[in-house]
Amino acid sequence: MCCCAIECVQCCVYFFNILFMITGIALLISGVVLLINGFVGFLSVLVPSLPYFYVAIILIIAAVLILCISIYGCMAAFKGDVCALIWYYILVVIVLCLEASALIMTFVVWRSGGYHSQIQDYVAHRVQLTMGRYGDGGDSAITEAWDDLQKNKECCGVENNLDWYKFAEFEPGRPPDSCCVEFYEGCSKAVNGAVVWEEGCKQYLIDATFSGLSALGSIVIIFIIIQIILLLFVLILIFLKKFGNDPKNTCCGTYVLAEDKE
């Protein structure tokens, strides 16, 4: 048997299988954090209907699946059983296909396809609905989120500062104090009129939504590359295990013939 080659390929399978396992652990941690904390930042409060819970559940399920497959892969590579290696190969291919489908949905359908404008409209509409709950008599979390967003990103409202007149009980030109270019308590009620940010926060909210999708897509691409390399070495290992006893095969540059063993 081509012992030297088999041991070398087995080491490569172990290495990339460990990387495969690490990706599962990373997905599991991401899913748990997302499940506990939601989408970190303004979006978790201002767009509460985004399916963070379902995304977190999908991540956790995928992570558990990857961890189970990677553990099975280590056992299959250690035993060197061809049948077990073939099943391991099939399972990794299934995971790879699922990840590729998610990647295509994210970049082709959502970002550049017909759903891009729909997601933009949905996010803008959901955020506008929260404006009516701003203020002392409203939701303190929403009030704090809006104030932080408008102060830090130097914007006002969704489309523009007039949104506070359209969707909340504010006078035209007198939005919340957090819209003021020079912020101080009561600045929006200045006698000479307040100088407020003209640009709305819509673009930032849209960018924040799609940046999360882009980051997730980039991570999936890295996972796919690791799994393709892993599949290549598993395939080589299956071939060596299946045909390694052929007397025509070489082992470290020498021929192992049947008559040499006698």
Side-chain angles (χ1 to χ4, degrees), residues 42 143-154 178:
F42 310 113
T143 301
E144 184 179 352
W146 266 114
D147 287 341
D148 289 343
L149 173 62
Q150 293 179 145
K151 287 179 187 177
N152 296 330
K153 303 305 174 184
E154 299 181 349
S178 55

Side-chain angles (χ1 to χ4, degrees), residues 101-117:
S101 300
L103 192 66
I104 292 171
M105 286 292 294
T106 300
F107 284 97
V108 177
V109 180
W110 287 2
R111 285 195 62 85
S112 59
Y115 290 99
H116 190 279
S117 60

Side-chain angles (χ1 to χ4, degrees), residues 90-229:
I90 293 172
L91 291 173
V92 176
V93 168
I94 292 174
V95 173
L96 185 64
C97 291
L98 292 175
E99 291 173 346
S101 300
L103 192 66
I104 292 171
M105 286 292 294
T106 300
F107 284 97
V108 177
V109 180
W110 287 2
R111 285 195 62 85
S112 59
Y115 290 99
H116 190 279
S117 60
Q118 294 181 24
I119 295 175
Q120 286 185 328
D121 295 339
Y122 173 79
V123 171
H125 175 67
R126 294 301 305 180
V127 175
Q128 286 169 341
L129 291 179
T130 66
M131 300 177 78
R133 298 162 60 189
Y134 178 94
D136 295 334
D139 191 314
S140 59
I142 288 178
T143 301
E144 184 179 352
W146 266 114
D147 287 341
D148 289 343
L149 173 62
Q150 293 179 145
K151 287 179 187 177
N152 296 330
K153 303 305 174 184
E154 299 181 349
C155 57
C156 186
V158 179
E159 300 289 347
N160 50 56
N161 59 68
L162 291 177
D163 284 342
W164 289 107
Y165 168 69
K166 297 176 183 177
F167 301 101
E169 298 179 358
F170 285 86
E171 298 178 10
R174 296 188 180 276
D177 292 341
S178 55
C179 283
C180 294
V181 175
E182 295 183 7
F183 173 79
Y184 59 87
E185 195 70 30
C187 63
S188 63
K189 298 178 177 62
V191 177
N192 297 327
V195 180
V196 299
W197 302 111
E198 295 292 335
E199 187 178 355
C201 304
K202 177 181 177 179
Q203 192 57 51
Y204 169 77
L205 294 167
I206 297 300
D207 290 344
T209 301
F210 283 105
S211 64
L213 292 176
S214 299
L216 185 61
S218 301
I219 293 172
V220 171
I221 289 176
I222 296 174
F223 290 177
I224 288 176
I225 293 173
I226 292 173
Q227 289 163 30
I228 289 175
I229 298 174

